[in-house]
C-alpha cells in the first residue's frame, strides 16, 4: 500500500538535484523533476543508455491480470501514464522515443489455455479499470509477421506498448536539456539531493557498502532484424518477445543468464533465439540481423524496483532494479521518486522500498 505521508514540509522544487546514472530510471526521474521546476544534473561516466537501457527490445508489457498485488498495480498505473509521459518528452525536447501502444498477441496451445485466458480476461475488466482489454480472439491476419497458434486462438491485450530503448534515452536527455538541465558524461560535482540510478553496478556497490546481497545483474542477449512490420502488435511466444519498431526493424529478446563469462558478448544462446524466432515467424527467415546486443540488467533481491532513501546516508536516494520491466515502470518510478526527493512525500508501495531488499 502507498501511504501518501508527507514526512516534513521542506521542498526542493527549484533547487539543484543530482542524478547519477543515465539509464531509463535516472533519465525518467530527472525529466520528471525538471518539469516540476528542479535544476537537474545527470552524471554518467559512460553516457546515455550505456547499460541495460541501451538494449534493443523495448517491450512495455503488463503482468497477467490475476493474483493482484502492489507490483502489478504500480505497473498498470505506469503503463497507463506512458502515452502522456513519452509525448511530453517528445514535445519538450524534440526527440522521438518510438513509443506506441500497439498491443500484444500470445498464441494459445489448447482448450485449457483458452479457458484460463478467458478467466484472466474477466479479471482484466475489473483490475484494468476498463482502460484496456485482455481478450481471446480467433487467429487471423494481424500484420506482416505471420505466426501459428496451435489452438487457432490468441490472447490479445491492448495495454502492451513498445519504445525504442536507445531513442527513448535520447528523447529524455533532450527534454532534460531543453528544461535547463544538464546531462554530463564523465565525473562532475554533486549538488543537492543525489539520486543513484546506477543499474547492475550500483546494486553491486550498494551490496558491498551494506554488507548484504541486495540484487545482481542478470545477463540478457537480444537481436534486431531489418524488417518493417509497421504497427502490428508485438508477439510473445515460447517465452520470446518479438517487437516491431517504428524505425523499420523487429527486435527480439531475450535470454536470462545468471552465469556468464563476458556480460557484453553475444554467443550461441543468442543465435538459438534468432533461429527460434525464424521458426515462429517465417517471414523473418530471410531478414538480415542488423544488431546483436548483450548486457546486464539489474534485478533487485525483491524482484520489484528498489526505490527510496539510501539507508543511513542523508540526502541520497536509490532507483534501481528495473530488470526486464524498467521502461514500462519508468513513468511511475519517476513520479514517486520526484514526490519523495522534491516534496518529501512517499508514494512508494509495499515491496518496493530499499529496506525490502535488506
Amino acid at each position: 500500500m502507498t501511504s501518501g505521508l508527507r514526512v516534513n514540509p521542506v521542498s526542493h522544487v527549484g533547487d539543484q538535484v543530482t542524478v547519477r546514472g543515465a539509464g531509463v530510471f535516472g533519465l525518467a526521474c530527472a525529466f520528471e523533476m525538471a518539469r516540476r521546476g528542479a535544476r537537474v544534473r545527470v552524471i554518467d561516466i559512460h553516457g546515455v543508455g550505456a547499460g541495460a537501457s541501451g538494449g534493443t527490445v523495448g517491450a512495455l508489457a503488463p503482468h497477467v491480470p490475476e493474483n493482484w498485488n502492489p507490483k502489478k498495480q504500480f505497473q498498470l498505473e505506469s503503463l497507463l501514464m506512458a502515452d502522456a509521459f513519452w509525448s511530453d518528452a517528445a514535445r519538450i525536447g524534440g526527440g522521438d522515443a518510438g513509443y506506441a501502444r500497439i498491443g500484444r498477441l500470445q498464441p494459445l496451445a489448447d482448450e485449457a489455455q483458452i479457458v484460463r485466458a478467458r478467466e484472466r480476461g474477466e479479471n482484466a475488466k475489473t483490475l484494468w479499470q476498463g482502460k484496456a482489454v485482455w481478450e481471446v480472439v480467433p487467429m487471423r491476419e494481424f500484420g506482416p509477421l505471420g505466426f501459428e497458434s496451435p489452438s487457432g486462438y490468441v490472447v490479445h491485450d491492448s495495454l502492451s506498448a513498445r519504445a525504442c530503448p536507445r531513442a527513448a534515452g535520447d528523447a529524455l536527455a533532450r527534454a532534460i536539456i531543453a528544461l535547463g538541465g544538464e546531462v554530463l558524461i564523465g565525473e562532475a560535482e554533486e549538488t543537492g539531493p543525489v539520486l543513484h540510478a546506477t543499474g547492475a553496478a550500483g546494486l553491486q556497490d550498494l551490496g558491498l557498502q551494506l554488507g548484504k546481497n541486495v540484487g545482481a545483474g542478470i545477463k540478457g542477449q537480444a537481436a534486431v532484424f531489418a524488417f518493417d512490420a509497421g504497427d502490428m502488435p508485438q508477439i510473445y511466444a515460447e517465452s520470446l518477445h518479438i517487437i516491431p519498431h517504428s524505425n523499420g526493424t523487429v527486435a527480439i529478446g531475450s535470454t536470462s543468464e545468471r552465469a556468464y563469462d563476458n556480460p557484453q558478448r553475444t554467443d550461441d544462446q543468442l543465435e538459438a533465439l534468432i533461429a527460434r524466432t525464424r521458426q515462429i515467424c517465417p517471414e523473418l527467415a530471410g531478414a538480415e540481423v542488423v544488431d546483436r546486443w548483450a548486457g546486464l540488467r539489474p534485478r533487485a533481491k525483491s524482484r520489484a524496483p528498489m526505490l527510496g532513501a539510501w539507508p543511513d546516508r542523508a540526502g541520497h536516494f536509490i532507483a534501481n532494479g528495473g530488470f526486464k520491466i524498467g521502461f514500462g515502470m519508468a513513468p511511475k518510478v519517476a513520479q514517486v521518486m520526484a514526490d519523495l526527493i522534491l516534496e518529501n512525500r512517499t508514494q512508494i508501495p509495499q515491496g518496493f522500498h530499499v529496506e525490502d531488499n535488506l
Side-chain angles (χ1 to χ4, degrees), residues 110-275:
D110 51 34
E111 183 63 28
Q113 286 194 4
I114 292 172
V115 170
R116 184 70 178 276
R118 285 178 172 151
E119 291 172 351
R120 290 168 171 169
E122 290 301 309
N123 292 339
K125 291 177 181 179
T126 301
L127 297 172
W128 289 1
Q129 307 162 17
K131 297 175 180 177
V133 298
W134 173 290
E135 58 185 354
V136 175
V137 297
M139 185 66 204
R140 60 179 187 270
E141 186 63 40
F142 285 95
L145 286 177
F147 65 98
E148 296 295 326
S149 176
S151 68
Y153 286 85
V154 295
V155 171
H156 169 252
D157 83 73
S158 65
L159 184 56
S160 294
R162 58 110 189 272
C164 184
R166 296 167 190 171
D170 179 72
L172 287 172
R174 288 174 179 268
I176 292 163
I177 293 168
L179 290 168
E182 300 174 287
V183 180
L184 306 177
I185 301 173
E187 273 299 348
E189 180 184 4
E190 296 175 354
T191 56
V194 181
L195 172 63
H196 299 262
T198 46
L203 285 181
Q204 184 178 29
D205 291 344
L206 180 63
L208 290 173
Q209 293 190 40
L210 298 178
K212 295 178 180 290
N213 171 27
V214 299
I218 307 296
K219 182 179 177 179
Q221 299 185 53
V224 178
F225 291 89
F227 186 94
D228 191 351
D231 287 336
M232 78 161 285
Q234 59 183 275
I235 300 166
Y236 184 66
E238 299 181 21
S239 300
L240 181 63
H241 294 278
I242 304 171
I243 316 295
H245 281 292
S246 59
N247 60 1
T249 66
V250 173
I252 66 161
S254 61
T255 65
S256 188
E257 306 166 45
R258 292 177 175 82
Y260 45 82
D261 295 325
N262 185 328
Q264 274 78 47
R265 186 175 64 203
T266 61
D267 56 34
D268 289 346
Q269 293 192 60
L270 180 57
E271 299 311 308
L273 283 190
I274 292 170

Side-chain angles (χ1 to χ4, degrees), residues 10 19 29 40-41 62-63 85 126 145 153 159 175 190 198 202 246 281-282 292 316 323 333 340:
V10 175
V19 176
C29 292
V40 177
R41 169 176 286 175
H63 286 97
F85 180 86
T126 301
L145 286 177
Y153 286 85
L159 184 56
E190 296 175 354
T198 46
S246 59
C281 296
R292 289 172 168 83
H316 289 254
F323 193 35
V333 167
L340 178 63

